[in-house]
Amino acid sequence: MLASLRASVLSLARDKALLVWTLAFPIIMTLIFMGMFSGIQDAYTTVGSTLGVVRDKNYSAAMGLDETIQAISDPTSSDHICNVTYYESAADAEAAANATEVDAYLTVDAEGAPQLHVTNASLSENGTLPTSVLAEILDTYQHTRAAAEKVAATRPELLATGEAIGAFTESAVQTVRLTATKNPPSPDARYYYALLAMAAGMGATAAMVSVRRLLPTAGPLGARQALAAVPRWRMLVGALLGAWLCEFACLLVAALFMWGVAGVSFGNDASGVVVALAASSLMACAAGTLCGTVTRMETSMISGITCLLSLFTGLYGTASQQLADTIETSVPALAHANPLWQTTNSFYALLYYDTPDAFLESVAALLIMTLVFLALASFRLRRTSYDHL
Amino acid sequence: MASNEAVVRIRNLVKRYGELVAVDHLSLDIAPGEVFGLLGPNGSGKTTTINCILQLLSYDHGEIELFGQPMRPTSYQLKRRIGVVPQEVAVFDELTVRENVDSFCALYVRDRARRRELVDAAIDFVGLQKFEDFRPKKLSGGLLRRLNIACGIAHRPELIIMDEPTVAVDPQSRESILSGIERLNAEGTTVIYTSHYMEEVERLCSRIMIMDHGRSVASGTADELKGMIGTGEKVSVEVGEMDEATLERVRSLPHVRSAEVDAGMLRVQCASGAHNLADVLGVLAENGLSYGRVLSEPPTLNDVFLEITGRALRDEA
Ligand SMILES: Nc1ncnc2c1ncn2[C@@H]1O[C@H](COP(=O)(O)OP(=O)(O)OP(=O)(O)O)[C@@H](O)[C@H]1O
Ligand SMILES: [Mg+2]
């Protein structure tokens, strides 16, 4: 087993095709993405987004709204979403918006319902305000307010202390943070994660090459190794582990490069990233093993399949991201059956969710896929057992 | 291992590829310490027989025993005692010469230190010391063949099976390979050797089997085989000029199969007989012909081979 592991590691480490696809490819693409995304990043950091707030009597009357706005505009807070400029009247705010001093502004109507105004001017200039997040905050605020009003109607003494209001607004912000993002939203992370997933998929060729070399059906080298004084399954396991080690190492380096050079955020749990990389490369190697048992399968087919599956991880730009999102919401089972989607999702889960559930689900899905691929591969190997030249 | 026990014992081996019978009721025994030559035209079933012995192929019928035990695909203890040099070069392209030999050796020998010795010895054996760090792509065809041999013998097997190991190897390396095989054999290794080079087989092999159409058509020592055929010696006499009548007289001698004059040399092909040379020279003397150099060659293995398997081209496979 060690012998075939060593042979597989040695030869894969020198196989340029493999290095190109699982190491050079993601690194080069990272450099390209860095160039493409530098505009977006700059817009985020230098312009910042500013929300205009019309502080009239409707605003002051809206219970808890001011607390919410202050919470999301406090630059020292982790809930900081945007800066806020206050205006006396809606007309002033609109003028400021048209002059693109603010990206959007907020008014409160007579019923106390907040409304977000996004001007065309600010949209076309630089649509940098995370309006969807704001909208969600306001939505949550409305719900909270409705709940608070119910409390006010039934147990007014609770509101008198002001403590209750604090609790309500806090929970509003908390909810937003949970439903929206743990870390600041990063529009380009999605590309990088999908890129890593694609590199992992390409790595399946490593296992395919290593495993195929052991099959007598695939050529004289395989026949020769079938003469070993070692059971074949042990050699196959060795080759598989060797391919896995190589691919895992390549992906790790690629991810480190993304993090260190391109500044891609992977959340705060480094060990989680390593686990995700290990699981996705193991899955790819299992898939490669299965492909290796199909004599007619060529490496170009693995590349083709990987490119196709990457379409559904949103690697190819906004159109493919919309397609991926549509499939995910309408036919989730289909999206979840895509191993590259699970890979991408495991990184996502690490970045965005406080709880490990989603991450563990994706890793578990990857491991289950691994087992399925390996079971199919061993079934095929058993059937093509010994008469094979 | 009991010394009288056959290293290889095959009984009634039959292997079919669809309609084609590649090996047809073949039986053979190879004793320890033999160098057994397997000869036959292209497509006669030599490689197929070897692959059956090695259990790389399943076969339709027959029994194969190695070292007195039935050979199975999972007979790892038996596989450990066998070394194979396949007809096609089969090495790892990405590994260096040394790593290649080591990788194949590691399929049989676990201990690293022991393996280092064995690998050194195998590389010495084929004379690839200077090329240890070369990748197979950078080796010439002959060097590659030598690497192919080193990979098969590094683990010091008791039985070595070589399928045309010296194809495309230059005379110097061939000589070193042949003397290497003789050395291995002197140390007690049993060898199965196939080749289309008759001189190699004649030099190395203690026993020879000629196969055709998957069957054994003749077997024995080289001398026994030569005795089996009707062909006798080839007599060449330097005669200068020679008239047609005398030539006819030579042709009518009892054991002469053919006679012709070519560039001043009378060449006579005889059937086996007691005094062919004297008879030919007698006819020349009777007709007053003086002659120069006289050459008499006994039949070669090549003659045996051609006579037994026929001279027609083998391309029906
Ligand atoms: N995989 C196969 N499928 C069908 N027929 C085969 C196969 N392998 C070999 N044969 C046939 O079996 C016969 C014996 O082939 P084999 O390779 O054993 O010959 P050989 O004696 O080794 O010839 P050579 O001297 O050319 O190496 C040939 O007629 C060949 O065409
Ligand atoms: Mg052959």
Side-chain angles (χ1 to χ4, degrees), chain A:
Chain A
M1 194 156 99
L2 268 181
S4 62
L5 188 149
R6 216 167 43 97
S8 126
V9 168
L10 268 178
S11 40
L12 286 175
R14 293 178 193 159
D15 182 348
K16 297 202 184 56
L18 180 83
L19 288 182
V20 164
W21 282 112
T22 48
L23 189 59
F25 168 72
I27 287 182
I28 292 168
M29 288 302 287
T30 298
L31 291 172
I32 294 175
F33 282 172
M34 275 169 75
M36 278 166 42
F37 297 146
S38 58
I40 298 182
Q41 283 294 356
D42 289 351
Y44 256 96
T45 47
T46 56
V47 178
S49 49
T50 310
L51 176 69
V53 173
V54 179
R55 191 153 50 177
D56 54 12
K57 59 180 189 321
N58 286 348
Y59 177 80
S60 311
M63 181 175 44
L65 183 58
D66 192 43
E67 284 84 349
T68 305
I69 294 298
Q70 273 172 23
I72 62 170
S73 64
D74 176 3
T76 61
S77 150
S78 64
D79 301 322
H80 177 77
I81 287 172
C82 59
N83 303 320
V84 168
T85 312
Y86 293 99
Y87 296 96
E88 292 309 316
S89 71
D92 289 351
E94 193 182 346
N98 287 335
T100 66
E101 283 162 25
V102 294
D103 299 310
Y105 64 95
L106 182 75
T107 57
V108 180
D109 65 15
E111 268 84 59
Q115 274 166 346
L116 193 61
H117 303 264
V118 183
T119 61
N120 283 338
S122 71
L123 272 184
S124 59
E125 270 294 305
N126 39 34
T128 56
L129 185 73
T131 41
S132 57
V133 177
L134 264 185
E136 190 142 7
I137 291 173
L138 295 178
D139 201 34
T140 314
Y141 162 74
Q142 294 252 53
H143 285 300
T144 317
R145 196 180 60 132
E149 274 167 0
K150 220 184 240 166
V151 174
T154 50
R155 303 184 61 188
E157 71 280 4
L158 281 181
L159 288 181
T161 58
E163 236 171 74
I165 294 181
F168 273 123
T169 54
E170 200 176 296
S171 81
V173 172
Q174 186 101 21
T175 316
V176 165
R177 190 175 59 186
L178 287 181
T179 52
T181 61
K182 180 172 85 172
N183 289 292
S186 159
D188 47 355
R190 180 164 193 178
Y191 287 97
Y192 289 110
Y193 295 168
L195 181 59
L196 268 183
M198 185 183 203
M202 292 292 192
T205 50
M208 179 170 125
V209 170
S210 300
V211 164
R212 178 154 304 164
R213 261 208 313 239
L214 288 171
L215 300 184
T217 10
L221 188 55
R224 192 168 199 176
Q225 291 185 90
L227 302 173
V230 183
R232 194 163 58 148
W233 68 265
R234 293 228 312 246
M235 299 179 61
L236 287 167
V237 169
L240 175 67
L241 287 180
W244 179 49
L245 276 181
C246 289
E247 187 185 344
F248 181 40
C250 285
L251 288 180
L252 209 55
V253 172
L256 272 174
F257 182 86
M258 287 181 181
W259 173 76
V261 178
V264 178
S265 169
F266 284 96
N268 308 319
D269 183 7
S271 60
V273 177
V274 173
V275 169
L277 289 173
S280 48
S281 49
L282 186 62
M283 177 281 302
C285 285
T289 304
L290 177 59
C291 294
T293 64
V294 184
T295 329
R296 268 163 304 171
M297 196 86 174
E298 285 164 29
T299 44
S300 60
M301 295 189 196
I302 290 194
S303 318
I305 294 173
T306 304
C307 289
L308 182 67
L309 291 180
S310 288
L311 178 63
F312 306 104
T313 60
L315 180 62
Y316 310 128
T318 41
S320 88
Q321 293 181 353
Q322 273 162 14
L323 174 68
D325 294 343
T326 313
I327 292 178
E328 196 187 324
T329 43
S330 51
V331 208
L334 198 61
H336 295 193
N338 176 356
L340 299 192
W341 184 90
Q342 294 289 3
T343 302
T344 317
N345 201 53
S346 62
F347 295 124
Y348 253 140
L350 282 174
L351 180 64
Y352 286 141
Y353 299 122
D354 272 333
T355 52
D357 302 2
F359 168 71
L360 292 179
E361 264 170 38
S362 274
V363 170
L366 286 170
L367 293 181
I368 289 170
M369 288 175 184
T370 304
L371 290 178
V372 170
F373 290 142
L374 287 182
L376 287 175
S378 66
F379 175 72
R380 282 196 56 88
L381 283 172
R382 239 170 247 279
R383 276 201 353 173
T384 57
S385 192
Y386 277 98
D387 196 15
H388 24 228
L389 292 178

Side-chain angles (χ1 to χ4, degrees), chain B residues 3-136:
Chain B
S3 61
N4 52 357
E5 190 176 68
V7 174
V8 180
R9 200 181 109 98
I10 299 180
R11 287 290 169 272
N12 281 320
L13 180 66
V14 179
K15 169 70 193 174
R16 292 195 188 87
Y17 290 113
E19 288 288 284
L20 180 95
V21 185
V23 180
D24 190 0
H25 294 279
L26 186 82
S27 297
L28 66 85
D29 288 278
I30 300 175
E34 266 192 302
V35 180
F36 186 84
L38 204 51
L39 296 186
N42 292 139
S44 55
K46 305 180 294 291
T47 303
T48 306
T49 305
I50 289 173
N51 286 337
C52 288
I53 296 177
L54 297 172
Q55 306 291 311
L56 286 172
L57 282 173
S58 65
Y59 36 93
D60 300 272
H61 184 76
E63 288 158 37
I64 296 175
E65 280 181 14
L66 296 185
F67 304 103
Q69 293 165 42
M71 180 69 174
R72 304 258 175 277
T74 51
S75 307
Y76 300 113
Q77 283 313 316
L78 290 179
K79 287 186 174 183
R80 195 181 298 282
R81 298 164 74 177
I82 310 171
V84 180
V85 179
Q87 182 167 7
E88 273 177 272
V89 175
V91 295
F92 297 99
D93 286 336
E94 298 85 5
L95 303 191
T96 65
V97 164
R98 192 181 180 85
E99 287 163 349
N100 258 300
V101 179
D102 188 56
S103 292
F104 284 105
C105 193
L107 299 178
Y108 307 94
V109 181
R110 282 224 184 151
D111 181 60
R112 273 174 157 251
R114 167 97 182 111
R115 219 159 60 214
R116 196 168 310 129
E117 286 168 26
L118 292 173
V119 172
D120 281 336
I123 290 178
D124 281 351
F125 181 84
V126 293
L128 283 179
Q129 298 93 325
K130 270 190 282 177
F131 303 93
E132 275 195 9
D133 297 324
F134 279 50
R135 304 256 187 100

